Amino acid sequence: MTQVIDQTGFIENVFGDVSIPSLTDYVGGNALLLQNNDDPATAAPFFETLDLIIVPFPASADGRGFSIARDLRALGYRGHLRAKGHILVDQFRAALRCGFDDIEIEDTQSQRNPEDQWKMVSQNAGYQTRLMPNGPCI
């Protein structure tokens, strides 16, 4: 099982029953799994039909997902964007600031990092929002 977290804390996985094909298997539908080595621009033609894009984080030290989220938002994706995998509590703010709506972690991690730890992460804008008109990604 997994746990979904947004700015308010642990939430229901409203996309729990949705089939989520990878880009290579995508033939239409409202959800897509964009691997961290896929070019985000290749998903752009499908933005109008997509309600959800999931970007996996295979390891907490693998930051490619942050760049993909930022690129998807810059390309115009306005649907739900979810990070899935190894996101640390310390990376939660960066994930939200890069464009993710929420993150999905394994239950084992949610037991190590309970809801109160996630809710303690400051959501205040950093100084960079005053310096970068398009917003930062850190």
Side-chain angles (χ1 to χ4, degrees):
M1 294 293 299
T2 60
Q3 180 62 59
V4 178
I5 307 144
D6 71 4
Q7 293 179 351
T8 65
F10 288 0
I11 60 170
E12 177 186 355
N13 185 358
V14 295
F15 296 105
D17 295 332
V18 174
S19 174
I20 306 169
S22 65
L23 187 60
T24 55
D25 297 328
Y26 184 76
V27 293
N30 65 342
L32 177 66
L33 176 67
L34 194 60
Q35 298 293 339
N36 57 15
N37 57 355
D38 288 335
D39 179 359
T42 58
F46 313 120
F47 284 175
E48 292 299 317
T49 60
L50 290 171
D51 296 324
L52 170 68
I53 295 178
I54 292 181
V55 178
F57 280 74
S60 60
D62 187 343
R64 292 177 289 177
F66 296 114
S67 298
I68 289 172
R70 183 75 174 130
D71 289 348
L72 287 167
R73 295 301 189 195
L75 288 165
Y77 181 66
R78 300 291 172 245
H80 197 92
L81 187 55
R82 175 174 289 170
K84 182 175 181 176
H86 296 278
I87 303 286
L88 302 176
V89 173
D90 293 345
Q91 297 170 317
F92 185 42
R93 181 178 180 204
L96 296 174
R97 290 178 71 194
C98 287
F100 287 108
D101 295 296
D102 55 31
I103 64 171
E104 184 177 351
I105 59 172
E106 294 294 325
D107 280 339
T108 54
Q109 184 180 354
S110 69
Q111 292 169 4
R112 284 191 315 269
N113 303 117
E115 182 178 26
D116 62 331
Q117 289 183 5
W118 298 95
K119 290 173 83 173
M120 289 178 58
V121 174
S122 171
Q123 300 303 321
N124 294 334
Y127 76 93
Q128 293 164 329
T129 57
R130 294 187 307 272
L131 303 175
M132 300 173 71
N134 293 326
C137 182
I138 62 166

